[in-house]
Amino acid sequence: MTIGNQTAVLAGLGTCLPVREVDNAELVELLDTSDSWIRDRTGIAARRVAAADLSLADLAVAAGENALKSAGVAKADAVVVATSTPERLVPAVGPQVASTLGIGDAAAFDVSAGCCGFIYALTVSAGLIATGLAEVVLVVAPEKFSTVLDPTDRATAVLFGDGAGAAVLRSGRRDEPGALLAVDWGSDGTARDLIRVPDRRDGYLSMTGKRVYLKAIEHMTSSTLRVLDRCGWATSEVGTIVPHQANMRIIRAVAQQLSVPESRTLCTLERTGNTGAAAIPLALAQGQANGVIGAGDRMVLTAFGAGLAWASAALVWPEITAVESEL
């Protein structure tokens, strides 16, 4: 989908991470693994884990508040929460986040699209703005994977972490920095069992690693190429590819498939692990803080996750400063 002249513009970015960091050495004591095994296969050295009394909504509210501060606004017409780890099925997290932030009369709802949730939520929000239903939308992507992981499963326990990222979108023009220029999204429900939590009450997340690895590379590559084509950009004209932060090997393989130097892909998972829908906004905030991305940079965000689902979006990075915090 190519976005029209009136579109959504990224106006603010906020994040929140749990204070507690669990490094590989702590997991080695529980699992038949080693620090070198984890690092070599994933690129992950540590991940954040939320305390038992720190709720998903707490993370979401903090990240959302930070994004509003970053944008210099206090209100939004809609709140869209992207998460795969809600603490209850009903009600949705969105209305609670909106109410706690003091914008309880705003439309608020959840989106479940696995690790693609943030880009799916951006796309839905862009639609709300394009149709005139909203002028400002707050997108929040919180995850608390520690509640759905089997602590004895080496295949998943080493990969995932907790955290939240958020963004403010406002109505603007296509020629403004921060405008969503093009998006691509899709799904393949025939492969729905490759990543799943069978029962939220007592089930654990399971993943068919090798097939997920191959599917992730295939779909993030092809989705990125479709977005580039819709923007009229050559791969060489993109400053940064921002992939879902799932696994270092996946990120490297996508870069190779796109013929993009590894230095032009943003990889920040070493200290946070895979944070699902929160991964891309967390990576953007860290990339900006580290000076890897800056105003005027052309970039493509791309993600893949449970569903199976995939999504990509293109924009030029605006002059904003992410607001970050810990709980």
Side-chain angles (χ1 to χ4, degrees):
M1 176 171 60
T2 302
I3 308 297
N5 288 331
Q6 193 69 20
T7 188
V9 176
L10 179 64
L13 185 67
T15 69
C16 182
L17 286 169
V19 172
R20 186 185 173 214
E21 183 179 84
V22 176
D23 62 17
N24 291 344
E26 187 171 336
L27 294 182
V28 167
E29 296 179 2
L30 303 173
L31 302 167
D32 179 20
T33 187
S34 67
D35 175 66
S36 60
W37 187 93
I38 298 170
R39 287 177 185 261
D40 290 347
R41 286 160 179 78
T42 69
I44 299 169
R47 68 287 299 148
R48 299 297 184 95
V49 176
D53 60 353
L54 181 63
S55 72
L56 182 83
D58 292 334
L59 290 168
V61 167
E65 184 175 35
N66 289 342
L68 292 169
K69 288 179 181 177
S70 172
V73 298
K75 298 282 187 178
D77 302 306
V79 176
V80 183
V81 172
T83 185
S84 295
T85 56
E87 289 161 334
R88 56 191 180 191
L89 295 178
V90 178
V93 183
Q96 181 180 352
V97 172
S99 176
T100 306
L101 288 172
I103 47 177
D105 57 347
F109 57 94
D110 293 1
V111 170
S112 178
C115 296
C116 299
F118 180 70
I119 302 179
Y120 264 63
L122 290 181
T123 304
V124 170
S125 299
L128 295 176
I129 289 171
T131 55
L133 290 173
E135 288 287 322
V136 177
V137 181
L138 174 63
V139 173
V140 188
E143 298 285 18
K144 196 176 175 184
F145 276 104
S146 57
T147 62
V148 296
L149 294 179
D150 179 351
T152 66
D153 179 13
R154 184 176 68 171
T156 57
V158 303
L159 292 176
F160 293 91
D162 301 336
V168 172
L169 299 179
R170 62 168 175 81
S171 178
R173 304 184 314 277
R174 181 180 170 82
D175 59 358
E176 290 185 70
L180 292 185
L181 300 174
V183 296
D184 176 76
W185 55 356
S187 69
D188 176 12
T190 64
R192 60 190 175 274
D193 288 334
L194 295 187
I195 309 171
R196 67 190 187 115
V197 179
D199 187 329
R200 184 62 181 84
R201 290 170 296 178
D202 56 16
Y204 290 125
L205 184 147
S206 66
M207 185 167 58
T208 308
K210 182 62 174 178
R211 291 183 64 191
V212 170
Y213 172 82
L214 294 173
K215 290 282 188 181
I217 296 167
E218 173 192 352
H219 288 296
M220 284 201 290
T221 300
S222 59
S223 182
T224 296
L225 290 173
R226 284 191 292 271
V227 161
L228 290 174
D229 181 65
R230 290 164 190 170
C231 287
W233 292 352
T235 307
S236 60
E237 295 176 312
V238 178
T240 309
I241 304 293
V242 186
H244 170 54
Q245 306 292 300
N247 181 308
M248 174 73 81
R249 291 192 299 164
I250 292 175
I251 293 172
R252 286 174 174 165
V254 170
Q256 185 177 25
Q257 290 291 311
L258 292 170
S259 298
V260 171
E262 190 176 327
S263 61
R264 284 170 49 206
T265 60
L266 185 60
C267 184
T268 62
L269 54 70
E270 183 180 9
R271 308 303 303 185
T272 54
N274 181 349
T275 52
I280 284 181
L282 285 169
L284 289 169
Q286 186 173 333
Q288 185 186 55
N290 294 342
V292 177
I293 58 176
D297 289 350
R298 288 183 174 185
M299 63 175 58
V300 174
L301 320 178
T302 186
F304 172 86
L308 298 173
W310 55 87
S312 299
L315 70 155
V316 175
W317 191 251
E319 288 195 22
I320 61 173
T321 301
V323 178
E324 304 174 82
S325 64
E326 295 183 343
L327 283 177

